């Protein structure tokens, strides 16, 4: 019997029984709290927005500390993500906080691909967690979860409408992370303009199908406050780490020539609402939504790409082992097919190479025959020329010998004639 059938029968046959006395499992929530406090918590925030909207200052103000970080410039060639992790302690609760900032976002002339590094970073964290889950020996209880739990999307306080970059980026991110839109440096526009700006932003998000994070209203203890705060989105915030004495109290504020803006005064901005919703009320829900919604969507799509499914073509339950075996057989079949194709390709290549070599050999033989014939012709010409030279040399030697004989005979003939002339002279006288 399949495990799913057994589980279904157990669920259907479950009965409710009364207890005759105290057992003690009502302490499970306390045990869970103690265990969680001992292990500590982690929370990861992604701050997306153009340079100069007060992202770093707001983080310092939210957690009432000073985080390390270098001020970003407007000369970045592309969007870079910087991740910094800090260990925070409040009372007996430890929090491992990771803040990821998008350096250079919106500073380029061509902003078409500005969202891609952000999407790739979020997917990389999901992939790392998935790989840890798929290991044979998992250590998820000690694994540092780097998945993004909340994305604070900073909107420039233009007072008009959302930029195309904001709409495109939020549309690409809404299925991967919990987006909380906030208006940075909201003290730069008036209250009436701010109200209209919020309405304009909300209508544009709805008309473009951008799904932002909605504070949960299914829990009765927080349903009322969350329902009220959903109506205040996007939050208009101001950040400041400077403390100013107002009355008898030191308060975080920003001083201007015309007056002072108090960060924690709800009449001045929505900072308190953001802190309440993000940290004090819905931090655990953001973590849960990241795991049960966004990560599960990534995990399902990734496993489906790998060929794993819950049901077979007949819509019957399909176990992971059966899926693995089917995928393995499919892979082996494809491997054999590719191996056969490679073998045939290799044989074809060998035949083509043999034909090329035979053709080259034939050409070499023809070239050798031509060179051999040319060599013979040259050799015959040289031999004829040599014979001709030998004949010339022989004729020259004969002429030379004849000339030498003539030269040798010449003096003897001259001496005889002289004696004859002398004898004739003597007879005359």
């Amino acid at each position: 019997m399949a495990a799913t059938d057994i589980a279904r029968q157990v669920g259907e046959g479950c009965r409710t029984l009364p207890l005759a006395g105290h057992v003690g499992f009502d302490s499970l929530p306390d045990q869970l709290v103690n265990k969680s406090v001992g292990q500590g918590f982690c929370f990861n925030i992604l701050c997306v927005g153009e340079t100069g909207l007060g992202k770093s200052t707001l983080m310092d103000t939210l957690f009432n500390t000073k985080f390390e970080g270098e001020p970003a410039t407007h000369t970045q060639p592309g969007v870079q993500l910087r991740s910094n992790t800090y260990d925070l302690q409040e009372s007996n609760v430890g929090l491992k906080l990771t803040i990821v900032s998008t350096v250079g976002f919106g500073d380029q002339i061509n902003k078409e691909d500005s969202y891609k590094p952000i999407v790739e970073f979020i997917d990389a964290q999901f992939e790392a967690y998935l790989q840890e889950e798929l290991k044979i020996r998992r250590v998820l209880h000690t694994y540092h979860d780097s998945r993004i739990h909340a994305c604070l999307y900073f909107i420039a306080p233009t007072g008009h409408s959302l930029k195309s970059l904001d709409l495109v980026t939020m549309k690409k991110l809404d299925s991967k992370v919990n987006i909380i839109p906030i208006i940075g440096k909201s003290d730069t526009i008036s209250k009436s303009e701010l109200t209209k700006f919020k309405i304009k932003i909300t209508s544009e998000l709805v008309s473009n199908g951008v799904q932002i994070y909605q504070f949960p209203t299914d829990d009765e203890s927080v349903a009322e406050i969350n329902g009220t705060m959903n109506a205040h989105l996007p939050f208009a915030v101001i950040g400041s780490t400077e403390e100013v004495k107002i009355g008898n109290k030191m308060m975080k504020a920003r001083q201007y020539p015309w007056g002072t803006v108090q960060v924690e005064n709800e009449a001045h901005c929505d900072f308190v609402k953001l802190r309440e919703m993000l940290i004090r009320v819905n931090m655990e829900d953001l973590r849960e939504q990241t795991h049960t919604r966004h990560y599960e969507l990534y995990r399902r799509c990734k496993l489906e790409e790998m060929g794993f499914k819950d049901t077979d073509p007949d819509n019957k339950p399909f176990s992971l082992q059966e899926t693995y075996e089917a995928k393995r057989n499919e892979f082996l079949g494809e491997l054999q097919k590719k191996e056969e194709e490679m073998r045939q390709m290799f044989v074809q290549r060998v035949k083509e190479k043999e034909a090329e070599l035979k053709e080259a050999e034939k050409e070499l033989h023809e070239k050798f025959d031509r060179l051999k014939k040319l060599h013979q012709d040259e050799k015959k010409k040289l031999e004829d020329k040599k014979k001709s030279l030998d004949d010339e040399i022989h004729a020259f030697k004969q002429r030379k010998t004849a000339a030498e004989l003539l030269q040798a005979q010449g003096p003897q003939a001259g001496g005889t004639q002289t004696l004859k002339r002398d004898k004739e002279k003597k007879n005359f006288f």
Side-chain angles (χ1 to χ4, degrees):
M1 184 180 293
T4 54
D5 297 335
I6 296 175
R8 191 179 299 109
Q9 289 182 7
V10 170
E12 292 174 353
C14 183
R15 294 181 297 168
T16 302
L17 297 177
L19 300 178
H22 182 261
V23 177
F25 58 79
D26 59 348
S27 66
L28 274 173
D30 297 329
Q31 297 175 33
L32 183 61
V33 169
N34 294 333
K35 183 179 180 181
S36 299
V37 169
Q39 291 178 348
F41 302 88
C42 72
F43 192 65
N44 307 319
I45 300 177
L46 172 65
C47 297
V48 182
E50 299 177 8
T51 306
L53 288 180
K55 299 186 293 295
S56 300
T57 305
L58 183 65
M59 289 297 101
D60 295 344
T61 311
L62 271 175
F63 292 94
N64 201 20
T65 186
K66 180 65 177 177
F67 296 112
E68 301 173 357
E70 299 177 357
T73 63
H74 292 273
T75 58
Q76 294 291 334
V79 180
Q80 298 178 356
L81 277 81
R82 293 179 184 173
S83 177
N84 295 296
T85 303
Y86 309 93
D87 286 321
L88 305 181
Q89 187 78 23
E90 187 175 31
S91 298
N92 64 331
V93 178
L95 178 67
K96 180 168 288 189
L97 177 68
T98 300
I99 299 176
V100 182
S101 58
T102 54
V103 181
F105 181 80
D107 290 338
Q108 294 76 36
I109 296 176
N110 184 4
K111 303 177 179 64
E112 183 180 358
D113 298 331
S114 296
Y115 68 89
K116 287 186 178 179
I118 305 174
V119 173
E120 290 172 358
F121 178 85
I122 296 173
D123 286 344
Q125 312 316 309
F126 284 153
E127 183 64 25
Y129 193 89
L130 177 61
Q131 292 301 322
E132 184 65 29
E133 270 194 337
L134 296 177
K135 285 183 179 179
I136 297 176
R137 295 184 179 181
R138 300 182 299 178
V139 286
L140 292 175
H141 61 285
T142 59
Y143 176 76
H144 173 54
D145 187 3
S146 60
R147 296 172 296 177
I148 300 299
H149 299 124
C151 172
L152 298 182
Y153 196 96
F154 286 73
I155 300 171
T158 60
H160 300 290
S161 61
L162 286 172
K163 298 179 180 179
S164 299
L165 174 64
D166 298 329
L167 288 172
V168 171
T169 304
M170 281 194 276
K171 186 63 179 175
K172 294 292 183 181
L173 296 180
D174 63 356
S175 63
K176 299 179 178 294
V177 70
N178 302 311
I179 299 177
I180 302 177
I182 58 178
I183 303 171
K185 293 185 176 181
S186 61
D187 55 339
T188 59
I189 55 178
S190 64
K191 272 196 170 183
S192 59
E193 290 175 339
L194 186 59
T195 303
K196 294 178 182 178
F197 191 34
K198 283 187 174 185
I199 297 173
K200 182 70 173 176
I201 290 173
T202 304
S203 63
E204 287 185 348
L205 291 177
V206 173
S207 61
N208 286 277
V210 178
Q211 301 292 326
I212 63 174
Y213 175 72
Q214 295 291 319
F215 302 116
T217 56
D218 51 353
D219 187 354
E220 294 181 358
S221 60
V222 295
E224 184 177 355
I225 184 173
N226 281 348
T228 304
M229 290 304 170
N230 282 330
H232 283 84
L233 288 171
F235 292 133
V237 297
I238 302 167
S240 176
T241 56
E242 298 178 4
E243 291 191 350
V244 179
K245 188 173 184 180
I246 300 175
N248 296 325
K249 294 182 179 179
M250 297 297 293
M251 304 181 69
K252 287 184 173 62
R254 297 184 73 89
Q255 284 187 317
Y256 295 97
W258 44 264
T260 303
V261 178
Q262 300 174 26
V263 173
E264 297 182 343
N265 189 337
E266 294 191 48
H268 292 181
C269 70
D270 298 331
F271 173 79
V272 174
K273 295 183 179 67
L274 174 64
R275 183 179 62 189
E276 194 77 12
M277 292 296 98
L278 180 67
I279 300 175
R280 300 181 180 180
V281 178
N282 298 302
M283 180 179 280
E284 180 57 30
D285 184 74
L286 287 164
R287 287 156 43 89
E288 183 181 352
Q289 285 290 324
T290 299
H291 182 77
T292 59
R293 181 187 169 194
H294 302 296
Y295 171 69
E296 285 300 320
L297 176 61
Y298 176 85
R299 176 179 173 275
R300 185 176 75 241
C301 294
K302 198 70 175 179
L303 291 179
E304 287 177 353
E305 287 179 6
M306 297 168 64
F308 294 99
K309 295 181 180 179
D310 292 331
T311 57
D312 59 9
D314 298 330
N315 205 25
K316 294 181 179 179
F318 210 43
S319 68
L320 184 64
Q321 180 66 23
E322 292 173 341
T323 306
Y324 171 76
E325 291 295 335
K327 195 67 180 176
R328 183 174 180 272
N329 294 333
E330 181 183 352
F331 175 75
L332 290 175
E334 291 180 357
L335 187 64
Q336 291 177 355
K337 183 178 178 181
K338 288 184 178 180
E339 185 178 356
E340 183 63 26
E341 289 177 356
M342 291 180 66
R343 185 181 292 108
Q344 293 178 0
M345 187 181 297
F346 177 76
V347 172
Q348 183 67 23
R349 290 278 181 87
V350 169
K351 290 181 178 178
E352 291 176 357
K353 198 67 178 178
E354 287 180 350
E356 290 178 2
L357 291 174
K358 288 181 179 178
E359 187 67 25
E361 185 180 6
K362 182 179 179 181
E363 291 179 358
L364 286 174
H365 280 299
E366 293 176 353
K367 187 175 181 181
F368 175 75
D369 293 338
R370 289 197 303 270
L371 291 175
K372 186 176 179 182
K373 184 178 180 181
L374 182 63
H375 175 70
Q376 291 176 351
D377 293 342
E378 292 289 335
K379 184 178 180 182
K380 185 176 180 181
K381 289 180 181 179
L382 287 174
E383 288 177 351
D384 293 341
K385 196 168 185 180
K386 181 182 178 184
K387 184 177 180 182
S388 175
L389 289 174
D390 289 340
D391 294 341
E392 291 180 2
I393 291 171
H394 182 67
F396 175 75
K397 286 182 177 180
Q398 288 181 348
R399 288 195 299 270
K400 182 180 179 183
T401 303
E404 289 176 351
L405 290 174
L406 289 173
Q407 288 179 358
Q409 293 176 0
Q412 293 178 2
T416 306
Q417 291 177 359
T418 304
L419 290 174
K420 188 176 180 180
R421 281 196 301 268
D422 291 340
K423 187 175 181 182
E424 290 176 351
K425 285 181 181 180
K426 288 180 180 181
N427 295 328
F428 179 75
F429 291 106

